[in-house]
């Protein structure tokens, strides 16, 4: 019997970002962790552990990767395999903090709807920024998240610790997936993680940006299904 799978969703994103996987894995036990009820990375991680099966495959996207690193620090014995998508292990630098503060300022001035519009150029590569399907998914996920939850997620991300010092302790099979046109995370971010985790493997999704699960679903479903089953 295959192990349960726990998905950790990123900031301003909902279960919709996983829909291709949820469809493909309809016969499996798949849990989408709560990414809307806490305002710290440690809080998200502990909530996940409190509700997750005893042993599971862990897949984190973006902010979900930050939570995944905390899960690995707290309860590595419960994770059988780890997959990380469009994420990074370092804490924010000044440029990232300034960008996040800009989003907070928009929300606090009553312009939450503008946040997702500001993010579109870094979420999607230039040739996809007029794709009605992708823009519709991004805007709906933002609307479903809402301003209050977004601010809580933002504060959690801004206060996260640097996960790099303990990456070498991760001792489970690990897969990284990165869209080659991601405007938020870089190849260097993923190489840094892959180099630090023993045996980790990086797969690059050609032409995809920050949301490869919905931009190139057939590729990501294939990669993750093979990884989970191997």
């Amino acid at each position: 019997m295959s192990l349960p799978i726990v998905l950790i969703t990123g900031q301003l994103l909902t279960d919709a970002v996983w829909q291709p996987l949820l469809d493909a894995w309809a016969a499996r036990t798949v849990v989408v962790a709560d990414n809307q009820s806490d305002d710290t990375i440690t809080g998200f991680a502990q909530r996940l552990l409190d509700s997750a099966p005893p042993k599971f495959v862990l897949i984190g996207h973006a902010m979900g990767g930050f939570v995944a690193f905390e899960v690995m620090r707290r309860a590595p014995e419960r994770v059988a395999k780890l997959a990380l998508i469009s994420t990074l292990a370092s804490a924010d630098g000044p440029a990232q903090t300034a960008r996040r503060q800009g989003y907070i300022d928009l929300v606090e001035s009553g312009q939450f709807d503008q946040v997702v519009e500001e993010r579109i150029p870094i979420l999607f590569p230039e040739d996809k920024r007029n794709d009605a399907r992708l823009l519709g998914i991004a805007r709906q996920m933002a609307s479903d998240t809402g301003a209050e939850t977004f601010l809580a997620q933002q504060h959690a991300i801004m206060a996260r610790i640097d996960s790099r010092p303990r990456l070498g302790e991760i001792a489970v099979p690990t897969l990284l997936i990165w869209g080659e046109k991601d405007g938020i995370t870089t190849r260097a971010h993923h190489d840094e993680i892959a180099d630090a985790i023993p045996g980790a493997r990086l797969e690059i999704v050609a032409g995809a940006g920050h949301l490869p699960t919905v931009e190139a679903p057939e590729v990501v479903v294939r990669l993750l299904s093979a990884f989970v089953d191997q």
Side-chain angles (χ1 to χ4, degrees):
M1 179 179 292
S2 58
L3 282 170
I5 300 167
V6 177
L7 306 173
I8 320 175
T9 313
Q11 181 189 37
L12 212 59
L13 308 175
T14 68
D15 295 12
V17 81
W18 301 114
Q19 197 59 54
L21 287 163
L22 295 174
D23 291 342
W25 293 347
R28 301 176 186 259
T29 299
V30 182
V31 177
V32 182
D34 180 349
N35 76 334
Q36 300 201 356
S37 299
D38 294 276
D39 60 2
T40 64
I41 296 301
T42 55
F44 286 124
Q46 192 57 53
R47 184 179 296 273
L48 182 156
L49 288 167
D50 289 345
S51 60
K55 190 91 170 181
F56 52 89
V57 175
L58 185 60
I59 302 175
H61 175 260
M63 181 187 79
F66 310 154
V67 179
F69 292 135
E70 182 64 25
V71 169
M72 297 305 298
R73 287 190 288 270
R74 290 181 175 233
E77 73 284 353
R78 292 181 60 186
V79 179
K81 295 181 179 181
L82 174 65
L84 301 166
I85 307 169
S86 308
T87 196
L88 48 88
S90 58
D92 270 359
Q96 291 78 23
T97 297
R99 187 183 77 216
R100 297 190 198 285
Q101 187 58 52
Y103 296 151
I104 291 172
D105 293 344
L106 281 173
V107 174
E108 291 180 342
S109 65
Q111 300 180 74
F112 171 67
D113 289 348
Q114 187 59 29
V115 171
V116 70
E117 304 307 319
E118 294 274 339
R119 284 170 60 85
I120 283 170
I122 57 175
L123 287 177
F124 300 119
E126 187 173 3
D127 61 347
K128 295 180 181 176
R129 291 174 198 160
N130 292 314
D131 185 310
R133 181 185 71 87
L134 293 176
L135 294 184
I137 291 172
R139 288 168 176 151
Q140 188 62 55
M141 287 193 293
S143 176
D144 290 345
T145 298
E148 184 176 347
T149 295
F150 171 74
L151 288 177
Q153 293 172 342
Q154 194 74 290
H155 289 303
I157 290 171
M158 292 170 77
R160 76 187 187 280
I161 67 170
D162 187 342
S163 291
R164 292 175 295 181
R166 295 185 60 183
L167 290 177
E169 298 174 16
I170 296 175
V172 297
T174 301
L175 172 68
L176 285 84
I177 296 176
W178 174 66
E180 67 167 350
K181 295 186 177 180
D182 190 342
I184 297 177
T185 66
T186 66
R187 170 71 184 267
H189 289 137
H190 292 76
D191 283 341
E192 183 173 51
I193 299 170
D195 290 345
I197 298 176
R201 175 168 59 92
L202 170 62
E203 292 284 353
I204 298 172
V205 183
H210 192 62
L211 305 180
T213 53
V214 292
E215 294 177 61
E218 67 291 337
V219 176
V220 176
V221 167
R222 174 176 54 79
L223 288 171
L224 286 173
S225 295
F227 175 69
V228 168
D229 288 336
Q230 69 188 15

